[in-house]
């Protein structure tokens, strides 16, 4: 029997966003880098890239583990990821600037950086984020997230 859990709106939105992030990879709003580095090394580099800039990680999601654990419960037969994780974080200073420019930009906070290794292309790790629309203070967030993923993919 599948146990049901009630999620807060924010948690549900985060999970939903993480689930569809790989399909957005072809879209204009997702920025990715690929590397042949070990998945664990890339994940650690993302974590270090966030923390070493003085930000606290709000949540570290093990989305790949959840998908593997629940595959039988939802009748899934296709393995999607060898591994997949994401980190969420926010910056009080940067977020305030962005939201002062457009109060509706609350939709982009917290920032999410994802890492995955596609089960069908083992050995290639993808790291990325969903970018904010260009312009104003939003560019500062996109630049920050780009720096983090580029460092992680080195």
């Amino acid at each position: 029997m599948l146990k049901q859990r009630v999620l807060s709106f924010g948690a549900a939105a985060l999970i939903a966003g993480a689930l569809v992030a790989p399909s957005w990879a072809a879209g204009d709003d997702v920025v990715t880098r690929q590397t042949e580095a070990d998945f664990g090394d890339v994940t650690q580099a993302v974590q270090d890239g966030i923390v070493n800039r003085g930000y606290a990680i709000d949540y570290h999601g093990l989305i790949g583990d959840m998908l593997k654990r629940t595959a039988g419960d939802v009748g899934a037969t296709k393995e999607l990821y060898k591994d997949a994780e994401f980190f969420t974080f926010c910056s009080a200073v940067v977020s305030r600037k962005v939201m002062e420019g457009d109060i509706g930009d609350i939709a982009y906070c917290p920032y999410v950086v994802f890492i995955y290794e596609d089960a069908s292309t083992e050995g290639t790790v993808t790291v990325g984020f969903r970018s904010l629309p260009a312009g104003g203070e939003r560019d500062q967030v996109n630049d920050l997230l780009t720096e983090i993923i580029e460092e992680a993919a080195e």
Side-chain angles (χ1 to χ4, degrees):
M1 176 179 277
L2 179 64
K3 292 183 180 179
Q4 292 184 335
R5 298 177 193 253
V6 177
L7 297 175
S8 69
F9 174 78
L14 262 177
I15 291 169
L19 285 173
V20 294
S23 67
W24 292 336
D28 292 337
D29 63 343
V30 172
V31 178
T32 62
R33 300 293 184 266
Q34 291 187 322
T35 180
E36 303 302 315
D38 179 73
F39 181 86
D41 293 342
V42 178
T43 301
Q44 185 64 53
V46 168
Q47 183 174 351
D48 291 346
I50 295 167
V51 172
N52 290 344
R53 285 174 171 79
Y55 306 121
I57 293 171
D58 297 319
Y59 188 75
H60 176 195
L62 306 176
I63 195 78
D65 290 349
M66 182 277 296
L67 291 170
K68 289 175 188 174
R69 185 180 64 251
T70 61
D73 296 332
V74 299
T77 58
K78 180 180 179 181
E79 182 181 11
L80 300 174
Y81 304 102
K82 180 176 178 195
D83 212 339
E85 301 182 15
F86 65 91
F87 292 94
T88 66
F89 71 100
C90 210
S91 163
V93 173
V94 176
S95 294
R96 174 164 284 281
K97 287 180 185 177
V98 170
M99 289 176 219
E100 284 178 354
D102 183 340
I103 199 162
D105 283 350
I106 190 172
Y108 302 106
C109 196
Y111 312 128
V112 179
V113 177
F114 61 86
I115 311 102
Y116 68 87
E117 186 172 354
D118 186 326
S120 66
T121 56
E122 287 188 38
T124 301
V125 175
T126 300
V127 57
F129 65 93
R130 186 173 181 198
S131 64
L132 284 70
E137 296 296 334
R138 294 173 182 158
D139 292 341
Q140 186 177 358
V141 175
N142 291 331
D143 292 345
L144 166 68
L145 296 171
T146 298
E147 288 173 12
I148 291 170
I149 69 166
E150 286 181 349
E151 289 171 9
E154 289 179 348

